[in-house]
Amino acid sequence: MKAIEKFTINFFFFFIIACEIAWRTKHPIHPIPITMVVAPLDDSMAVNAFYARNLQKLFWFLPGSGSSQLRRALKQSIDSSIYFGLTKENYHYDIVSKFCEPANTYYKDSNLTNADRVFTDAAIKFCSDVYKGANISKWINSDEISNKYQDKDIDFILSGLLQSSDATKYKEFVSRLQPKDIDYRVLRSLIADSIGSDSKNIKGLTASINLTRWINHFRLNKYVVVNIGSATLRYYENDSLKLKMKVVVGKPSTRTPRFAAYCNEIILYPYWNVPRKIVLNELLPTFKSLPNSVESMNMQIIDRYGRIVDLDTLNWRLYNHNFFPYEVRQSTGCDNALGVIKFNLTSPFDVYMHDTNLKSAFKSE
């Protein structure tokens, strides 16, 4: 009986194989390429969150022509990366392009799952960069704001993508991600005009357009933007420009750092606590040669307990660059180097905004 069963089973498989060979002889099949998808994801956590919300279903490779149109819409948007100040190779471009070719390629189910995840990863990263700018850490030395918006940002991107179930909706979503102000449109236009002709200009415009998207995406009620390059300050309320003025920024030898921070304190008629480097290199030599200059400059000598030192008790000959156990501050008033108002910031650079007693500084180019 076992032999008969074995023979029957073997015969069955042989019959299938024989029939397949005969069928293939009458109906030859051309070689079928199978595309393998192996690519590390840029943000696997965001991709996992996307599919958790989508109940682990495919998004880009559903049956029907709508999915192929959606895939092509993603590819087309990535193709236009340069106009956003972005680089298409950062968004799995080779794989996205491969799966947007004419539908004559057979994909295994497991490959479809992998490909769908790669498309989602590409879409999340591209949309995030269009929304909040790319490579911001390359241009900003310190950022105390972005981390507080991280969860909100990814939730916004995931929700928008999940609602972009066809090509039209996806294109509308990408459009909504971008700022609507005139400055942004001008930057887009300048980039388009510079492509292929001015690579140096493209580099500067790339930084500008990404920083513009980064600043705008926070949707802050009130904020100040200091443009170090143009030495200008702009104050906005709900994205409406309310004030524009000149500012004085650091010299090339003492550049103003680039950072994002909060204004946590406003002081009227502030003291100026003179930086130690200025005290030792500039003020101390002056005080030693001209002791009366301490008063004429409206300065105060402060001991380690925060008390004002009587100038008559100081023997300036005892002090030098290596020994001066005091701090120096300038008294409040219109002659103070900080002027009559100071804005303290939460940056790590001990940088703040302030008025000045040297109004002529605003006349210099």
Side-chain angles (χ1 to χ4, degrees):
M1 183 65 183
K2 289 183 178 179
I4 294 175
E5 290 177 355
K6 182 177 181 181
F7 174 80
T8 303
I9 292 172
N10 287 340
F11 176 79
F12 176 77
F13 278 103
F14 175 79
F15 177 77
I16 293 294
I17 293 171
C19 289
E20 184 179 6
I21 291 173
W23 189 86
R24 284 175 180 270
T25 303
K26 293 181 180 180
H27 307 279
I29 298 175
H30 298 291
I32 300 175
I34 298 178
T35 300
M36 302 298 294
V37 182
V38 179
L41 302 180
D42 287 295
D43 193 342
S44 59
M45 289 183 63
V47 171
N48 290 338
F50 178 90
Y51 286 101
R53 297 187 187 190
N54 200 41
L55 303 179
Q56 305 303 329
K57 295 184 294 186
L58 296 178
F59 186 82
W60 306 91
F61 288 89
L62 293 172
S65 61
S67 288
S68 61
Q69 292 171 4
L70 178 58
R71 294 196 298 273
R72 285 195 292 271
L74 174 61
K75 179 183 179 296
Q76 289 167 3
S77 64
I78 296 175
D79 278 329
S80 66
S81 291
I82 190 170
Y83 297 99
F84 295 98
L86 304 174
T87 304
K88 65 182 182 181
E89 286 75 19
N90 291 336
Y91 311 105
H92 301 297
Y93 185 72
D94 290 343
I95 293 175
V96 170
S97 297
K98 187 71 175 177
F99 279 84
C100 287
E101 292 176 355
N104 60 355
T105 304
Y106 171 77
Y107 309 110
K108 290 184 176 181
D109 289 344
S110 61
N111 288 343
L112 279 182
T113 299
N114 292 338
D116 208 83
R117 290 175 65 84
V118 171
F119 266 70
T120 297
D121 191 55
I124 290 173
K125 183 168 176 55
F126 177 78
C127 290
S128 294
D129 288 349
V130 170
Y131 179 51
K132 59 181 182 178
N135 301 317
I136 298 304
S137 60
K138 178 179 178 181
W139 297 298
I140 299 296
N141 305 117
S142 174
D143 180 4
E144 299 190 15
I145 299 178
S146 293
N147 284 342
K148 297 182 179 180
Y149 286 80
Q150 190 170 3
D151 292 341
K152 181 179 178 181
D153 288 345
I154 193 62
D155 179 72
F156 176 73
I157 296 298
L158 295 184
S159 298
L161 280 176
L162 285 166
Q163 295 172 19
S164 303
S165 54
D166 58 50
T168 300
K169 291 179 181 178
Y170 171 77
K171 293 175 183 177
E172 291 174 350
F173 177 55
V174 173
S175 178
R176 291 200 308 272
L177 294 173
Q178 303 170 64
K180 300 299 184 287
D181 60 89
I182 185 64
D183 290 343
Y184 181 75
R185 293 198 294 270
V186 169
L187 287 170
R188 286 288 305 269
S189 178
L190 290 173
I191 287 179
D193 293 341
S194 300
I195 292 174
S197 60
D198 193 344
S199 59
K200 185 177 181 180
N201 195 37
I202 282 283
K203 185 177 180 180
L205 291 171
T206 294
S208 295
I209 198 168
N210 279 286
L211 288 169
T212 296
R213 291 201 299 269
W214 172 65
I215 292 170
N216 275 268
H217 98 277
F218 293 119
R219 303 288 191 267
L220 299 169
N221 293 329
K222 298 178 181 179
Y223 62 97
V224 171
V225 178
V226 176
N227 188 319
I228 300 173
S230 64
T232 56
L233 177 150
R234 290 178 171 85
Y235 169 66
Y236 296 87
E237 289 184 2
N238 297 315
D239 293 332
S240 296
L241 180 63
K242 297 297 184 181
L243 178 67
K244 180 180 177 181
M245 64 175 65
K246 291 183 178 181
V247 295
V248 178
V249 297
K251 301 176 183 178
S253 58
T254 55
R255 294 183 182 275
T256 300
R258 295 167 293 187
F259 62 90
Y262 292 94
C263 176
N264 62 339
E265 190 177 31
I266 299 176
I267 302 173
L268 297 176
Y269 293 98
Y271 286 100
W272 179 38
N273 295 300
V274 185
R276 190 68 176 172
K277 186 175 181 180
I278 295 178
V279 170
L280 297 178
N281 294 338
E282 301 177 27
L283 295 184
L284 183 58
T286 300
F287 295 163
K288 292 183 68 173
S289 60
L290 298 170
N292 291 334
S293 63
V294 177
E295 289 186 328
S296 64
M297 295 173 67
N298 203 21
M299 295 292 182
Q300 297 174 337
I301 308 301
I302 309 298
D303 67 17
R304 61 176 180 171
Y305 300 107
R307 299 174 302 199
I308 299 175
V309 177
D310 184 349
L311 297 180
D312 293 333
T313 65
L314 295 174
N315 184 352
W316 290 105
R317 290 178 297 179
L318 298 177
Y319 309 121
N320 55 53
H321 191 279
N322 297 318
F323 177 67
F324 185 64
Y326 302 104
E327 300 296 330
V328 178
R329 75 180 184 190
Q330 190 174 36
S331 297
T332 63
C334 295
D335 292 334
N336 187 285
L338 303 185
V340 297
I341 190 169
K342 174 185 177 184
F343 299 86
N344 277 336
L345 308 175
T346 59
S347 83
F349 304 108
D350 195 25
V351 174
Y352 42 83
M353 296 191 300
H354 61 86
D355 184 22
T356 180
N357 62 339
L358 189 63
K359 306 301 182 184
S360 60
F362 293 101
K363 297 180 181 180
S364 59
E365 296 294 332

